[in-house]
Amino acid sequence: MRHAALIGLIVLLAGATVACAGDDESGLDAAVSAIADERGLSEADIEAALKTFVPSGGRDEYLMFASGGHAGQVFVIGIPSMRLLKSIAVFTPESWQGYGVGGVQTEETLAAGFYNDEEIKWGDTHHPALSETAGDYDGQFLFINEKANGRVAMIDLRDFETKQIVKNPFSNIDHGGTFVTPDTEYIIEGPQYAHPLGGEYAPLSEYDDKYRGYVMFWKFDREAGRIDESQSFGMELPPYWQDLCDVGKKVSAGWVFCGSLNSERDTGGIEAGNPPFEVGVSQNDMDYLHVMNWERAAEVAQSAPKVNGYPLISLDTAVAEDLLFLVPEPKSPHGSDVTPGGEYVIVAGKLDPHITAYSFEKIKAAIDSGVGESDPYGVRILPFDDVMEAQIEVGLGPLHTQFDGDGYGYTSLFLDNGVAKWQMGPPYHDEWKLVEVVPTQYNVGHIAAAEGDTVSPDGRYLVSLNKWATDRFNVVGPLLPQNLQLVDLTGEHMEVIYDMAMGVGEPHYAQIIKADKLDAWEVYPEVGWDPHQQAVDPNAPVSGQERVERNGDTVEIWMTATRSHFNPENIEINEGDHVIWHITNIERAYDATHGFALSGYNVGLSLEPGETITVEFDAENSGVFAFYCTEFCSALHLEMMGHLLVRPE
Amino acid sequence: MRHAALIGLIVLLAGATVACAGDDESGLDAAVSAIADERGLSEADIEAALKTFVPSGGRDEYLMFASGGHAGQVFVIGIPSMRLLKSIAVFTPESWQGYGVGGVQTEETLAAGFYNDEEIKWGDTHHPALSETAGDYDGQFLFINEKANGRVAMIDLRDFETKQIVKNPFSNIDHGGTFVTPDTEYIIEGPQYAHPLGGEYAPLSEYDDKYRGYVMFWKFDREAGRIDESQSFGMELPPYWQDLCDVGKKVSAGWVFCGSLNSERDTGGIEAGNPPFEVGVSQNDMDYLHVMNWERAAEVAQSAPKVNGYPLISLDTAVAEDLLFLVPEPKSPHGSDVTPGGEYVIVAGKLDPHITAYSFEKIKAAIDSGVGESDPYGVRILPFDDVMEAQIEVGLGPLHTQFDGDGYGYTSLFLDNGVAKWQMGPPYHDEWKLVEVVPTQYNVGHIAAAEGDTVSPDGRYLVSLNKWATDRFNVVGPLLPQNLQLVDLTGEHMEVIYDMAMGVGEPHYAQIIKADKLDAWEVYPEVGWDPHQQAVDPNAPVSGQERVERNGDTVEIWMTATRSHFNPENIEINEGDHVIWHITNIERAYDATHGFALSGYNVGLSLEPGETITVEFDAENSGVFAFYCTEFCSALHLEMMGHLLVRPE
């Protein structure tokens, strides 16, 4: 109860000064002490509380975009308040946003990611990437990959909605994505588990010959706000398990670096008496960092043969054209992260207590000098000693590294439960050395620092995305929330100042952008807006022209929504009719959103001010079905309803 | 900058006392002032920050269970920290929890709520109800209704997972649910928009004769942890729009009260030149509070004819058996809430500035005296003046009322943007009167106070579930988060101390329970546990007996999962095989959850420690499909994978 004594003393001080200080001050001191005492807050707690509290109506300084892990979504979190401002539906249908629940626009976006006839209605989102200009976040777009089925999605940050999903044509799984080139020319989707080309069948006995990694380079058309599939291409890689990537910047612009594991090319088989994968893929002391020249690859791809509709640069061509090199990296590597100036690639090996810094200058020199043996696929392996710049022992289970603007790196320690801060050598500081480690609870995976993977990191805040929570929160059953801990980087020492319970998913990676870089719409620019096209829908319902038209067995409806009614309110059709139903929210007021629920049919929409959505279905259920507004819009919200009457045949 | 001056003064005070008080104290004062100054925190902000901050590893005092609105889920929020501890998937599939994404148990739970052949994969959850014993929350179960398709779900609070969904047999829409009787004998699902029986077709011209409201009484079997459909029944009501209900307690035990609107029986039709619904249903000065004797109804239901498989008490029988009475209630009523002792029903009319208190004693007297005219359906209308106890003018747009333990009521004011606190008359206080109004931003719908609708409310905290947020948070596109404001009830005046951004849904109602009343499992009781049965699955995979068996075209797999491998790892089958795949997480450590993703098939599971899940599908996609753990479980988590090889035909 040391703090209690301390607090008591403050009360005395406050009391002793009432005469000269007046009531306000004693009021504050007394309140602070009384509340802290009652709530058992320590001195550090009081400071943390003040550092993270955003007053009613206040704004957060930064926004964090976190993957939702196997929730398949993206989460938007305010920093320093750590409030969940929004979940953005990406690969998993979500009805609050009306995403993939009857609206044809979002249903089509999702369908683009299906696997053959299999409707894949969930995702495992891993690494969000904000669009960049000259290596800095520009706040315009967000990309994210989906590991379970090898897909990439694009979110437009004008309205924070998913506009596009593309499917990897060469592999049905990925991991090392998404990472963007300095001006977002390409979005890189790195692989993970090796596959036969296109995910076709080949027995594991043919692993070395038939299984490969495939890295995708998705071309981005910023004007169109779309990934341009016609200009995208892939490159074949050896059947190692390529892991996380990072893109070169400044001095290393034009290159991309992906770590890997399983250089053993192990195929597991515990059921056959083999060692399990976790043993088989961890035998070698060194795996390989993949060093790729994406700028040159983009040129070579112009003349590469198309496979499954996309140019694919073969492994032989990649070798012949000097597009791919390997660098040994210590034991079971995970993260590979490029320093703000692009001078170094920082690699962390899960089973090695060091971070290893590779000099891009030395990598270039080694490439030009022609040194090095080849791997079984003819890929040149640059000698470790020729390209390694420095190593620092940071602790057990190092995974991922972020940076601040003062020449320091921060590396997550999965096994040691902490974040290590270390000093970079030239040109940042004179030597490479460990500074300190702050404990985090527990088993931290990725970390995200404010703009910490750009050419100009902000420092200030770091978030530790912890994988285990155990004793951190109230017990809410066997499935626990994640624990995202906010670390203050502004003091003499790193300090954990907030534990955020994340009870809606398991974020992997996250990026933190200065809030003032975003310029999202409050309402859609014009009435009749189709968010999928980001343009007015020429067929959008218009106020005063609402109607129902029958053409044979097809009934087309043009409906408007405003406080507090739909127009039309009652619609009578026949069982079996094909229904095309357009709805426009004609409101212009910020936050004047209307929902649309149709009973008996799987239709749940969210119509933001100005938005037009189209629903299409066959009226196979006869009866009386109410439709109503699901977003509490006004005092007469309950009255905002109507009837779809379906006459039986 | 008044606070700056104030802070400066505190620094002086602290400085002046360094000599006697030592460094710690001056350190604290200096820190508080410096941080508050930098962050622009007022005196009130500092107090609010300390009142809501829960230190790292600390526990919240209360848990709030909030509906997710049209997200279709339930959210669990810690109070006072207002952290989202968990989203519980109920009507909408959710892949982080593996709910409805391949696991047969949860797929079956969802399918029970489908409408004919239409797969309804979302919901509009409205009113959660915690199970009660003697009118007090017991922390065992949670119920919630789904408005869009008339369904009720049951969540088991041992593992915080949805176990059952039941579909209303008489109507395809509801609203006034869920509310439980004092010992959770029944869960009440009240209607909303009138329908023909069973949702069958009938033209609106036959509204008065063919359209009705149907209130469901779902019997709960606490031992079985299931709603017992065989003992549940319904009752026919006039075609008014029955709205929110509340169940009598103590002196009014055995009765239930539901407000209503549209006593006009308006059928809208703006497209035909009629006034829109919001005008048509708001013409009368009085609508009707429905007073129902559920205890007696349960007896009458024993001999009631079955309709659509359930006993249905007809309107004529309800009248003849004295099961239903009406009480006039002022203009466009919304909430009806019973006082802690059951003496009064508090009604708020959206278009009337008063709350109206009805005396249950007077209602009983009026019923017994036989006074009152009949409505067009023969239902007796008890005279307003005979049963009304008191009215208090509280402000514009009163909606819902909660209570504290000191004889005060709290009513949300949708139009005035605030929460009114008012004093109850005898036996609580000597007179009925308004105390004060605290402003909230903006358009508050429901409010929830700590155990505020039980026989023993706690007071202390109240949450204002605001419907509009506009300027409260950073702009994140046209769809805004909701704003849940925490109100401190412990001081001399009500104070808003926290704005929680709710960016995953639009909660309607919520209940707040003392955290220590819950006793959730940390891990499942035994290995091989089937959460759907809450028992060990006799066919669950067992460590050491993992295997794959073929029987004709059916392949059955018994797999175990543990850090850091699946067993078996490689499984080869033929295209077209029918696959039955059982997986057990054999871990016993708290938080040792493993996910299971199967590429190429729509399978995403979450296996908590001890849990067994079965997946069943036809292998229609040939090729090589990785499966892997989606929950970051260990340093070798990436290595926890295997291959499903599907040989082409």
Side-chain angles (χ1 to χ4, degrees), chain B residues 85-96:
Chain B
L85 297 175
K86 194 171 214 173
S87 170
I88 302 172
V90 186
F91 294 100
T92 308
E94 200 288 307
S95 50
W96 168 60

Side-chain angles (χ1 to χ4, degrees), chain B residues 394-534:
Chain B
V394 292
L396 298 181
L399 295 183
H400 305 284
T401 297
Q402 293 268 292
F403 305 94
D404 65 18
D406 301 320
Y408 296 94
Y410 301 82
T411 302
S412 56
L413 302 175
F414 185 88
L415 297 175
D416 270 353
N417 297 321
V419 175
K421 175 181 181 177
W422 47 271
Q423 175 181 291
M424 289 192 279
Y428 300 95
H429 296 280
D430 54 0
E431 61 170 328
W432 299 79
K433 66 176 183 189
L434 178 67
V435 177
E436 65 172 339
V437 174
V438 62
T440 57
Q441 295 83 16
Y442 301 96
N443 297 2
V444 50
H446 278 279
I447 51 176
E451 308 211 341
D453 61 3
T454 70
V455 294
S456 60
D458 288 9
R460 196 152 172 72
Y461 297 111
L462 179 145
V463 174
S464 174
L465 287 77
N466 307 322
K467 295 304 183 179
W468 283 46
T470 57
D471 63 355
R472 311 313 291 169
F473 306 109
N474 297 65
V475 177
V476 290
L479 179 62
L480 280 69
Q482 307 300 310
N483 183 16
L484 275 52
Q485 289 183 302
L486 181 64
V487 179
D488 178 8
L489 301 182
T490 62
E492 188 185 349
H493 299 288
M494 294 187 285
E495 279 181 84
V496 171
I497 57 174
Y498 195 84
D499 280 30
M500 177 200 188
M502 167 57 71
V504 289
E506 186 202 48
H508 286 249
Y509 185 46
Q511 289 185 329
I512 300 172
I513 181 174
K514 199 92 166 61
D516 61 19
K517 282 187 175 181
L518 292 160
D519 187 21
W521 290 329
E522 293 191 343
V523 299
Y524 282 108
E526 298 176 58
V527 172
W529 198 263
D530 172 2
H532 188 66
Q533 299 301 332
Q534 294 293 37

Side-chain angles (χ1 to χ4, degrees), chain A residues 413-418 439-445 464-473 480 482-485 499, chain B residues 56-57 59 590-591 632:
Chain A
L413 303 175
F414 184 88
L415 296 174
D416 270 354
N417 298 321
T440 56
Q441 294 86 13
Y442 302 96
N443 298 0
V444 50
S464 175
L465 287 76
N466 306 323
K467 295 305 184 181
W468 283 46
T470 57
D471 63 356
R472 310 315 291 171
F473 305 110
L480 280 67
Q482 307 301 311
N483 182 15
L484 275 54
Q485 289 184 302
D499 281 30
Chain B
S56 181
R59 296 290 181 272
Y590 187 31
D591 207 4
F632 208 115

Side-chain angles (χ1 to χ4, degrees), chain B residues 134-367:
Chain B
D136 228 337
Y137 302 150
D138 55 42
Q140 293 186 4
F141 300 94
L142 180 75
F143 308 91
I144 190 157
N145 70 305
E146 192 279 300
K147 175 174 176 176
N149 289 279
R151 301 176 292 178
V152 168
M154 190 277 293
I155 295 161
D156 189 329
L157 294 178
R158 285 173 292 186
D159 61 1
F160 280 57
E161 290 188 2
T162 302
K163 306 301 176 184
Q164 185 180 24
I165 291 175
V166 292
K167 173 89 185 70
N168 187 314
F170 306 121
S171 176
N172 52 31
I173 202 143
D174 69 26
H175 184 251
T178 54
F179 301 92
V180 300
T181 56
D183 283 304
T184 324
E185 300 95 333
Y186 288 91
I187 300 107
I188 289 151
E189 180 193 14
Q192 176 98 91
Y193 307 121
H195 271 70
L197 180 60
E200 299 302 312
Y201 171 82
L204 284 165
S205 57
E206 300 175 8
Y207 187 87
D208 292 352
D209 299 336
K210 297 273 185 71
Y211 285 57
R212 294 289 182 267
Y214 298 94
V215 57
M216 273 302 290
F217 297 86
W218 295 104
K219 187 79 173 73
F220 185 58
D221 181 340
R222 196 184 285 263
E223 288 311 305
R226 284 289 188 282
I227 289 167
D228 181 352
E229 298 180 69
S230 73
Q231 299 298 312
S232 303
F233 67 95
M235 190 160 85
E236 183 183 17
L237 302 174
Y240 313 138
W241 290 357
Q242 288 80 22
D243 201 12
L244 284 158
C245 308
D246 199 5
V247 179
K249 53 187 79 139
K250 293 196 168 176
V251 302
S252 53
W255 295 75
V256 57
F257 313 91
C258 302
S260 72
L261 54 161
N262 197 16
S263 54
E264 299 84 353
R265 290 178 289 169
D266 183 77
T267 57
I270 187 172
E271 69 285 352
N274 301 329
F277 276 107
E278 84 253 36
V279 174
V281 307
S282 308
Q283 301 169 65
N284 297 350
D285 285 339
M286 290 282 190
D287 289 292
Y288 298 123
L289 176 70
H290 293 51
V291 178
M292 296 176 276
N293 184 332
W294 70 260
E295 264 181 3
R296 192 178 164 96
E299 292 162 19
V300 172
Q302 302 299 320
S303 54
K306 286 195 172 184
V307 178
N308 297 338
Y310 293 78
L312 175 61
I313 299 171
S314 70
L315 194 41
D316 292 344
T317 303
V319 169
E321 296 284 344
D322 288 341
L323 305 181
L324 172 66
F325 302 89
L326 300 175
V327 172
E329 51 183 1
K331 206 129 174 90
S332 200
H334 195 38
S336 56
D337 300 283
V338 176
T339 53
E343 310 88 348
Y344 306 104
V345 183
I346 308 300
V347 165
K350 305 192 292 273
L351 304 183
D352 177 84
H354 303 84
I355 57 101
T356 301
Y358 297 92
S359 158
F360 181 70
E361 191 179 354
K362 291 181 177 178
I363 288 173
K364 283 281 286 182
I367 289 173

